[in-house]
Amino acid sequence: MSEPSLHSLSLGYVESLLSDYLSDPDSVPHYWREYFRQLSGNGSGNGSLQIGPTFESSTLFRPIGTGASEAASEEARLLQHRVDEMVRTFRIRGHIAAQLDPLGQRPFPPELELSAFQIGPESLRAPVAARNLPGPDVVTIGELYDRMRSTYCRFIGVEFMHIDDLQARSWLQARMEPSQNHIRLDRDTQLRILRRLTDASVFESFIQKKYIGAKSFSLEGAESLIPLLDLAMEKAGAHGVREIVLGMAHRGRLNVLSNILGKDPQTIFREFEDDNPEQFRGGGDVKYHLGHSSDWVTAAGHSIHLSMCFNPSHLEYINPVALGRVRAKQDHQGDRERRVGMVVLIHGDAAFAGEGVVQETLNLSELPGYTVGGTLHVVVNNQIGFTTSPYQGRSNTYATDIAKMLQIPIFHVNGEDPEAVAQVVDVAMDFRERFRRDVVIDMYCYRRRGHNEGDEPAFTHPRMYKQIRERQPVSVHYLDHLLQLGGVTREEAEALIHEEEAELEEALQSARRAEGGRGIQSGQGLWQPFRGGRQSDVPDVDTGIDEATSRALLERLVTYPEGFRPHPKIERLLETRRQMAGGEHLLDWSTAEALALASLAASGTRIRMTGQDVERGTFSQRHAVLHDVERDAQHCIFSTLAPDQAPVEIHNSPLSEAGVLGFEYGYSLDYPDGLILWEAQFGDFFNAAQVIIDQFLCSAEDKWHRLSGLVLLLPHGFEGQGPEHSSARLERWLTMSAEDNIQVTYPTTPAQYFHLLRRQVLRPLRKPLIVLTPKSLLRSPRVTSTLADLERGTFRRVIGEPSAEEHAGEVRRILLCTGKLYWELLEHAEQRGRLDVAIVRLEQMYPQPDDELRQAFRPYPAGVEVVWVQEEPRNMGAWPFLHLHSDQELLGRPFRGVYRPESASPATGSSASHRIEQAELIASAFAGLD
C-alpha cells in the first residue's frame, strides 16, 4: 500500500518533535516516543532513525511501526474519536460562540473548549486524520481546533447540520472550511463595499438633517444591508437571474429604494415635502410603503429587472405576495426550472419570529404548485421589536429558528464586518443556485433610533441605547480597516462622502422647485391592455360559446388515457357528463365550471386554481384530477383540450389561508391575462387571511394603483352545518366595498357562474371577484342549465321574475334575494300558487346594479314594496349594506328586510333548530299577504 509523505504533517513539526525526543524522550507524547523508539531500533523496526513515509493511508493518525503496542493504538483511536467529535460539535454548535452582536461579546462556551472533548494541552501537537476535511489529510490537533474555531466562531455562525441531505451538508463544509469562512476581496470590491456603506450612511444623515422628526424608519445601525443586497444582485446576475422581486417592511425601505432600486432621491424628497394634498385626498399611502421598479446592470453587464413590492405596516404579509409575483413571471416566460426569477425577502427579527405568515410562506417553498427555485431571506436583526426585547418576543435562541423547518442553511453574521457579510452572501447565493432552495442570512446589527424618528428608545432600553449612541457608523469602522490594509486613502473616502452629499442636495433643491405629486407606476408592460376605475366605463362582452364547442369540450373533459382506471363512482360521473354533451342531462354547477375553464384554456387563457382540496373539491364535486385505482397515476381532465391550449394548473394547497391567498394575489399582479382562482374550503375560512384581503385585495387600487383580477370562490349557505360552515361573511365584503374596488356576486345558476368566470377574463376590467358558491345546491335537480344557456348572452347582474309581464298587475310584494335562498322562496311560492309575489334575484351585490334593478321592477305597479330576504342575521349578510344605502326606500319603492334576529354568531349548530328557523324565515317573507 502506498503511504503519504510526512510532509503532509508539516515536516518542520515532525523534526522539532524528533529533536525534543533526542534531548528529553519524556517531553513528547507517548505515541511519538513509541514511533521514534521503533525507528531507532529499540523495537522491531529497521534500526535506523530517519523521517520518511511511514504511515498507512487508512490509519493516518496512528504512527505505525512493526511491533507497535496495542495499548498505544487503542489510545490513538480514542483520541481520533474525540477529535472527530470536536469537529462535529463545532459544525453543529460553533454558532453559539460566534461574535455576532456588534453591541457585546459572547462568552466562549465551555462545551467548545478542548477540555470538553477530553483533549489536554499535551496533545495539541499530535497529528490526526483530517477526515472529511479539505486540505492536508493529516494535521495537528491544535491546527484543527484553530481552524474549526476560526471557521465557525468568528463573525459568522452557521446552522446547517439539521439538513438531512448529505450532499448539501458536504457542499457547505467544502465552501466554508478551506477558507475558514472568509472571503478574499480585491481592492475594487472593497471600494465598492465602502461606497455602498457611504451611500447608505450619507442618505440617512441627510434625511435626518433636512426633515427633522419626520418618519423615515432609518436604516442607521444596519447600513451593511446595502452592500449585502448589492453583492446579492451581482451574484444573481452571474447566475442568469433576470427578474428579482423584493419584499420588505418599512425599516430601511427608503434607503433600499434609493441605493438599490435607484429611485430618484428627488421623488423621495417630493414625498417628504407632501405639498400637493389635493392629489391624494382619500387615497395613496405613506412614502415608506410604496413600491418601485427599475433595471440593474451588473458589473459584468447582466441586466436584471428589480421590483420592490408595495407593503403595508403588516410587515411579513408581503412574503407570499412576492413569491406569487415571481412564480407568475417565471410562468409567463415558460421557466419551468425556476431560474430566471428570484425573490429577496427582507425581514425584521421580531416579525420573522412572531408572524405566523412567515411559517406559511416557508412551507410553500418546495411545494410543486408554489416553488420559485429558492428565496433569499435577509433578517435585519435589530435585536429589538419596537420596545420588546427578544426574551419577551420569542421562545427560542434565534429569531430565525422557524426556518429550521426547511432543509436549508441559516447564516448568522455580524453586520459590522462587511467582509463577513460578503462571505455569507457569496456562499448563500451559490447554495441557492446549486440546490434551488431557500437560504437565510441573519444579519446582527442595531437600530440607532427608536421605532420611528419621533420615538425615544432610551425610555425602555437605556443601557442598550447608551452603548448605541457611542458607536460610529459601519462605514467608519470599515474605512479604518481599509486604511490599515493600505487599500484606500482617507482623502478618497472623504471624496465619496462629499460626492454623495452634493448629489442629494441637488436632488432636494430640484424637488423643492418641481411641481406635481409623487409618481405611481401603473398601466405598463403586461398591464397595458387592462384597466381599473369605474365598472360602468367598461362595456360588457359576449361570454357565450356555441353548443357545438361545449359538446366537443365536454367529450374531451371525460376522456382519459388508455389503460387508466378511475374510481367506479368517478366513471359514473364522467358518463353523466358525457350524456350532458348529448343533451340527455342538464348541466350541473361543477360541469358549468369545468366548461368555463376549458373554454378559456382552449382559446389561450392560462388557468390557475388553488385551495384546500380543490382537485377533488371539498364537496366531492369537481374531480379535476383523477386517480388511477390500480397504480400511482393521475390525470388532469384539462390536460387534453387542444394541441395549442394554455396550461391549466389545479393545485391542492397546504392547510393555509393567509399564505396561499397572498401567493395567489401576488400571482395575479403579474399574470393579468390569466384566470387565477382561490377557493376556500368553506366560505368563512377566508377570515384567516383577512390581512391579505384588507391590506391588498380591497385597497391596493386606491393605495398603490395596482390592479388584480383574482377570483375568490367562497362556499356559502345556511344548511344546519353550524356557525363555521354557513357564512362567507357577505357583510364584511360589502362593508369593504367602495369606489368599485371589488365585485361581489352570488350567482344562482350554473350558466350564471359560467358567464361570470368568462367575463372576468374577456372583459378588460381587472377587479377582484368574490363569488359565493353553493354547497347543498351542487347536485340539486333544479339548479341546472342547458347548453343553450351557455351560448346566449353574458352574466346577468339581476334576474327578474320570469312571468313578470303576465302577472305584473297582481303583484303586491317584490321579494329581492340572492343565491341559495331564491330556490327555497321559489318552492314555497309554487307550492302555494302565490302569483301576488315576484321574486327578483340580485346576482351582483357590488357594484350595485341600479339600472338593472329598475328594469326588473318596472313591470310592477308603483308603490309595491320591495322586501329584502336573507338567511343571515339582521346584523350580517347584505342587509346592513343595502339598508345603509337605501334606508326606507329602494329606487323609489318602500323597502324593508326579512332576516334572522341579530346574533353574535352566524348560525346555529343544530340542524333541527336550523330547519325551524328557515321555515319561519321563509314564512315571514310571505307574511301579511293573506
Side-chain angles (χ1 to χ4, degrees):
M1 181 180 292
S2 62
E3 298 172 330
S5 168
L6 277 179
H7 285 285
S8 65
L9 284 179
S10 170
L11 184 57
Y13 167 67
V14 178
E15 289 177 335
S16 69
L17 279 174
L18 176 58
S19 175
D20 292 343
Y21 172 78
L22 293 174
S23 62
D24 181 8
D26 292 335
S27 67
V28 300
H30 66 85
Y31 35 82
W32 279 107
R33 291 200 302 272
E34 174 69 13
Y35 172 59
F36 291 135
R37 184 184 65 79
Q38 294 176 48
L39 288 181
S40 66
N42 294 330
S44 55
N46 60 15
S48 62
L49 186 59
Q50 60 182 4
I51 296 174
T54 58
F55 291 113
E56 291 183 7
S57 59
S58 61
T59 55
L60 290 172
F61 161 71
R62 182 165 54 92
I64 297 298
T66 305
S69 71
E70 286 300 320
S73 298
E74 181 59 30
E75 188 167 348
R77 281 193 293 270
L78 181 59
L79 187 59
Q80 180 69 58
H81 171 74
R82 291 169 179 167
V83 169
D84 291 343
E85 184 64 23
M86 177 191 76
V87 170
R88 178 173 173 79
T89 301
F90 268 98
R91 289 169 175 166
I92 295 173
R93 299 284 289 161
H95 60 86
I96 68 172
Q99 300 307 304
L100 304 175
D101 185 358
L103 300 179
Q105 294 293 309
R106 280 174 161 178
F108 195 80
E111 66 186 270
L112 294 176
E113 296 284 3
L114 269 172
S115 58
F117 308 103
Q118 300 180 50
I119 299 174
E122 74 281 358
S123 300
L124 290 178
R125 300 170 71 183
V128 291
R131 295 171 180 167
N132 301 316
L133 284 165
D137 292 330
V138 181
V139 296
T140 70
I141 292 177
E143 290 171 337
L144 185 56
Y145 181 77
D146 288 344
R147 183 197 298 181
M148 289 296 102
R149 186 163 174 169
S150 178
T151 301
Y152 295 111
C153 303
R154 286 195 299 169
F155 299 112
I156 299 172
V158 190
E159 294 181 273
F160 70 102
M161 293 296 283
H162 61 279
I163 300 174
D164 295 329
D165 184 348
L166 177 60
Q167 185 181 17
R169 290 205 312 270
S170 299
W171 184 94
L172 286 162
Q173 289 166 196
R175 279 299 303 268
M176 296 185 293
E177 291 174 355
S179 67
Q180 297 178 42
N181 232 354
H182 179 72
I183 193 170
R184 293 186 180 275
L185 301 176
D186 56 34
R187 182 179 185 273
D188 287 344
T189 305
Q190 289 176 327
L191 286 175
R192 183 183 184 109
I193 291 173
L194 180 62
R195 174 178 284 277
R196 287 308 202 176
L197 288 171
T198 301
D199 291 345
S201 182
V202 170
F203 179 87
E204 296 297 351
S205 62
F206 190 88
I207 293 289
Q208 301 307 321
K209 292 174 184 175
K210 301 299 182 179
Y211 297 100
I212 298 172
K215 289 184 180 180
S216 66
F217 296 93
S218 164
L219 187 64
E220 291 169 288
E223 294 93 335
S224 289
L225 177 65
I226 300 303
L228 185 160
L229 294 174
D230 177 276
L231 294 169
M233 302 304 158
E234 293 294 307
K235 196 78 173 180
H239 291 161
V241 174
R242 298 197 296 271
E243 294 261 7
I244 295 179
V245 173
L246 298 94
M248 71 179 296
H250 40 275
R251 171 95 34 228
R253 186 182 184 90
L254 294 178
N255 207 312
V256 172
L257 284 169
S258 176
N259 288 312
I260 297 297
L261 279 94
K263 184 175 181 179
D264 188 349
Q266 178 179 339
T267 303
I268 295 174
F269 297 149
R270 288 288 299 157
E271 292 160 1
F272 273 100
E273 295 292 321
D274 196 19
D275 57 0
N276 189 12
E278 290 299 321
Q279 182 179 3
F280 299 104
R281 288 184 60 158
D285 205 340
V286 291
K287 50 194 165 290
Y288 38 81
H289 286 175
L290 303 179
H292 189 73
S293 63
S294 63
D295 291 316
W296 175 289
V297 179
T298 70
H302 303 290
S303 180
I304 306 174
H305 184 70
L306 306 181
S307 300
M308 171 70 83
C309 295
F310 42 81
N311 194 44
S313 289
H314 287 71
L315 304 177
E316 301 293 334
Y317 281 85
I318 195 62
N319 297 350
V321 176
L323 265 66
R325 291 192 62 187
V326 166
R327 174 79 176 217
K329 290 174 182 290
Q330 292 169 338
D331 286 348
H332 244 301
Q333 299 180 49
D335 176 25
R336 298 182 64 85
E337 294 185 354
R338 312 294 168 197
R339 292 189 176 274
V340 302
M342 173 180 163
V343 181
V344 176
L345 296 178
I346 304 167
H347 313 270
D349 52 314
F352 195 80
E355 296 281 359
V357 73
V358 173
Q359 182 274 336
E360 293 190 29
T361 304
L362 292 172
N363 190 45
L364 298 176
S365 65
E366 294 189 47
L367 302 182
Y370 304 91
T371 184
V372 295
T375 294
L376 174 63
H377 299 269
V378 180
V379 178
V380 179
N381 196 332
N382 294 306
Q383 308 182 73
I384 191 171
F386 200 159
T387 67
T388 302
S389 299
Y391 79 91
Q392 295 174 305
R394 61 176 187 262
S395 297
N396 41 33
T397 303
Y398 294 111
T400 53
D401 280 350
I402 184 66
K404 284 192 281 190
M405 65 181 284
L406 300 182
Q407 299 285 296
I408 63 172
I410 302 169
F411 298 92
H412 307 283
V413 61
N414 190 317
E416 282 204 344
D417 187 339
E419 295 195 1
V421 172
Q423 165 68 3
V424 298
V425 170
D426 193 60
V427 178
M429 290 294 291
D430 283 347
F431 178 89
R432 177 198 169 273
E433 171 64 15
R434 171 68 177 80
F435 294 98
R436 317 305 303 158
R437 300 181 197 168
D438 289 21
V439 64
V440 176
I441 298 176
D442 178 19
M443 189 184 79
Y444 273 69
C445 50
Y446 56 87
R447 190 186 68 196
R448 182 169 292 279
R449 301 179 186 275
H451 174 66
N452 60 62
E453 282 63 26
D455 178 48
E456 175 48 75
F459 287 162
T460 54
H461 294 77
R463 292 180 61 194
M464 180 183 190
Y465 274 87
K466 180 178 184 297
Q467 194 174 358
I468 287 174
R469 283 193 295 269
E470 295 169 354
R471 297 195 72 78
Q472 294 289 333
V474 181
S475 56
V476 174
H477 293 300
Y478 191 57
L479 174 59
D480 291 341
H481 169 69
L482 295 185
L483 290 173
Q484 291 176 7
L485 296 177
V488 67
T489 66
R490 189 169 296 279
E491 289 73 23
E492 288 176 307
E494 290 176 351
L496 293 178
I497 296 172
H498 296 321
E499 178 184 338
E500 179 66 12
E501 287 177 337
E503 290 178 3
L504 292 176
E505 185 63 42
E506 173 57 32
L508 176 62
Q509 297 309 315
S510 298
R512 289 174 172 170
R513 291 193 299 268
E515 295 181 358
R518 66 183 72 145
I520 300 178
Q521 298 172 310
S522 62
Q524 303 173 6
L526 292 171
W527 279 97
Q528 215 162 18
F530 307 102
R531 60 177 302 174
R534 292 290 177 183
Q535 176 181 264
S536 57
D537 295 337
V538 181
D540 282 334
V541 293
D542 185 358
T543 54
I545 59 173
D546 60 76
E547 291 191 36
T549 299
S550 293
R551 291 193 182 94
L553 288 172
L554 271 174
E555 289 290 346
R556 293 170 196 155
L557 288 169
V558 300
T559 302
Y560 45 84
E562 186 176 352
F564 189 91
R565 292 290 306 278
H567 191 281
K569 290 184 179 180
I570 303 301
E571 284 188 296
R572 290 195 291 273
L573 168 70
L574 298 178
E575 180 57 33
T576 300
R577 286 186 175 178
R578 185 174 285 108
Q579 292 170 355
M580 291 176 186
E584 301 171 54
H585 280 282
L586 296 176
L587 304 176
D588 61 14
W589 195 273
S590 63
T591 304
E593 176 189 82
L595 278 171
L597 303 186
S599 62
L600 289 168
S603 60
T605 296
R606 187 185 194 102
I607 308 294
R608 177 180 170 88
M609 174 186 284
T610 68
Q612 293 158 25
D613 310 293
V614 295
E615 293 181 1
R616 190 202 76 170
T618 297
F619 311 103
S620 196
Q621 84 282 9
R622 182 170 292 118
H623 297 290
V625 178
L626 308 181
H627 297 257
D628 194 297
V629 295
E630 295 181 349
R631 54 197 175 93
D632 188 18
Q634 299 179 12
H635 169 68
C636 178
I637 66 173
F638 298 101
S639 61
T640 55
L641 301 172
D644 56 348
Q645 71 170 82
V648 179
E649 292 184 279
I650 313 287
H651 293 293
N652 286 341
S653 78
L655 196 62
S656 157
E657 284 81 29
V660 172
L661 182 56
F663 189 101
E664 302 310 329
Y665 173 75
Y667 195 100
S668 73
L669 295 178
D670 282 84
Y671 220 118
D673 45 341
L675 180 63
I676 318 304
L677 309 102
W678 175 76
E679 183 175 67
Q681 196 169 75
F682 285 88
D684 65 332
F685 286 13
F686 84 84
N687 60 19
Q690 194 69 54
V691 173
I692 299 295
I693 290 157
D694 291 351
Q695 306 304 327
F696 294 99
L697 199 72
C698 292
S699 59
E701 183 175 353
D702 189 38
K703 291 194 292 187
W704 303 309
H705 289 201
R706 291 305 306 263
L707 307 177
S708 168
L710 181 62
V711 179
L712 274 64
L713 306 178
L714 308 178
H716 177 83
F718 284 49
E719 293 147 347
Q721 295 190 52
E724 278 73 58
H725 299 129
S726 298
S727 176
R729 295 291 191 172
L730 178 58
E731 65 278 359
R732 292 188 187 174
W733 294 106
L734 294 176
T735 297
M736 292 183 287
S737 297
E739 301 177 293
D740 284 20
N741 60 330
I742 58 177
Q743 307 165 87
V744 182
T745 64
Y746 193 0
T748 55
T749 70
Q752 278 283 87
Y753 182 46
F754 169 88
H755 289 296
L756 180 61
L757 292 180
R758 285 178 55 81
R759 183 185 77 167
Q760 185 69 358
V761 172
L762 299 179
R763 197 170 52 157
L765 186 76
R766 285 296 176 267
K767 302 278 183 176
L769 172 63
I770 315 306
V771 186
L772 278 63
T773 57
K775 297 178 294 178
S776 63
L777 298 184
L778 288 170
R779 296 173 178 83
S780 169
R782 298 205 66 170
V783 185
T784 56
S785 298
T786 66
L787 291 175
D789 293 331
L790 306 191
E791 183 172 6
R792 291 190 294 265
T794 186
F795 175 73
R796 298 164 65 190
R797 298 174 178 85
V798 176
I799 300 178
E801 174 65 56
S803 57
E805 298 294 340
E806 185 179 352
H807 302 288
E810 303 176 46
V811 169
R812 293 186 291 154
R813 180 176 297 167
I814 301 169
L815 298 182
L816 183 63
C817 65
T818 189
K820 163 184 168 284
L821 188 59
Y822 165 74
W823 298 103
E824 294 172 290
L825 292 171
L826 178 63
E827 182 180 10
H828 184 93
E830 289 176 343
Q831 289 175 351
R832 291 158 179 75
R834 302 303 302 243
L835 300 179
D836 56 347
V837 175
I839 307 177
V840 175
R841 287 173 269 176
L842 183 59
E843 304 276 294
Q844 177 175 298
M845 281 155 284
Y846 191 83
Q848 186 169 312
D850 287 347
D851 290 343
E852 289 88 342
L853 279 172
R854 288 190 185 93
Q855 183 66 28
F857 297 162
R858 184 168 290 123
Y860 310 115
V864 171
E865 69 170 347
V866 177
V867 177
W868 171 256
V869 189
Q870 67 178 34
E871 295 186 289
E872 299 89 347
R874 181 186 183 191
N875 56 314
M876 301 178 189
W879 174 247
F881 177 81
L882 293 172
H883 190 238
L884 175 68
H885 288 80
S886 304
D887 198 19
Q888 302 300 313
E889 287 192 349
L890 178 64
L891 302 177
R893 293 178 180 270
F895 185 51
R896 63 183 179 88
V898 171
Y899 26 66
R900 280 175 165 80
E902 288 185 359
S903 175
S905 179
T908 177
S910 164
S911 57
S913 294
H914 163 76
R915 288 192 293 272
I916 295 172
E917 291 176 1
Q918 199 75 352
E920 292 175 348
L921 177 77
I922 293 171
S924 296
F926 293 88
L929 292 174
D930 295 325

